[in-house]
Amino acid sequence: GEDVEQSLFLSVREGDSSVINCTYTDSSSTYLYWYKQEPGAGLQLLTYIFSNMDMKQDQRLTVLLNKKDKHLSLRIADTQTGDSAIYFCAEINYGGSQGNLIFGKGTKLSVKP
Amino acid sequence: KAGVTQTPRYLIKTRGQQVTLSCSPISGHRSVSWYQQTPGQGLQFLFEYFSETQRNKGNFPGRFSGRQFSNSRSEMNVSTLELGDSALYLCASFPGGGSTGELFFGEGSRLTVL
């Protein structure tokens, strides 16, 4: 079945770049998403990419998509302590809509001052 | 514009009881989805409603049910609670039809089953 996998932890120093990686299984996914969850809060969409794109840049965020390898990455430039959170990669469940997402387990990003 | 509102935010129940959680989507949004978040399983899709109709359902037992009202507000119900139902239940809404792909999440209802 469909699955989304990502590493569970990442620790970086303030000012460095962070790269969070994700692999997915459904090659027919039209959208791939990155969501952020801060402690005690719901999820917030950070960015998304259409499957016909290789890269998307949005201020400090860069998303790279390798469809051949089904690999998605999120790069955060100049990482700040306020970026400490859990980051989830997600794809649309096969045959579903944007309301029916398969999420990875989340990568907990810790930013050290 | 008010965000997605979930009530109650926290609740404690005992095994065998039932619980009803409520979600008010963003005004104008016609689609509501529910997710269960636990440390072990992560985020798992429960169901999705659009215009009062269940459009998709995840792989959960029949004890989990939901509905959507004509004003797009949604409720989910869990009957005969088990310890493993302890989780954060997240509701999300989006406009429905053709849209950009963003799901707007509420802050969740944290259920503890004793």
Side-chain angles (χ1 to χ4, degrees), chain A residues 31 33 35 37 40-45 48 50 86 88 93 95-105, chain B residues 9 33 35 37 39-43 45 48 55-56 88 90 94-95 97 99-103 105-107:
Chain A
Y31 294 84
Y33 305 87
Y35 279 86
Q37 186 177 35
L43 274 68
Q44 177 189 7
L45 180 69
Y48 63 91
F50 290 106
I86 302 176
F88 293 92
N93 200 352
S97 73
Q98 71 193 74
N100 182 355
L101 298 181
I102 300 174
F103 285 90
K105 291 270 173 65
Chain B
R9 290 290 315 278
S33 296
Y35 290 83
Q37 186 177 23
Q41 298 299 317
L43 279 153
F45 170 76
E48 177 192 356
R55 192 151 66 173
N56 285 294
L88 180 67
L90 291 165
F94 66 102
S99 54
T100 61
E102 180 171 2
L103 275 183
F105 281 84
E107 292 184 319

Side-chain angles (χ1 to χ4, degrees), chain A residues 75-110:
Chain A
R75 179 177 179 268
I76 305 172
D78 188 25
T79 313
Q80 302 298 306
T81 53
D83 294 324
S84 294
I86 302 176
Y87 292 80
F88 293 92
C89 170
E91 64 173 346
I92 295 177
N93 200 352
Y94 179 76
S97 73
Q98 71 193 74
N100 182 355
L101 298 181
I102 300 174
F103 285 90
K105 291 270 173 65
T107 299
K108 185 173 183 178
L109 175 63
S110 297

Side-chain angles (χ1 to χ4, degrees), chain A residues 17 29 32 37 40-41 58 61 65 74 80 85 94 99 103 107 111:
Chain A
S17 290
S29 286
L32 293 150
Q37 186 177 35
D58 184 2
L61 305 178
L65 174 60
L74 173 70
Q80 302 298 306
Y94 179 76
F103 285 90
T107 299
V111 183

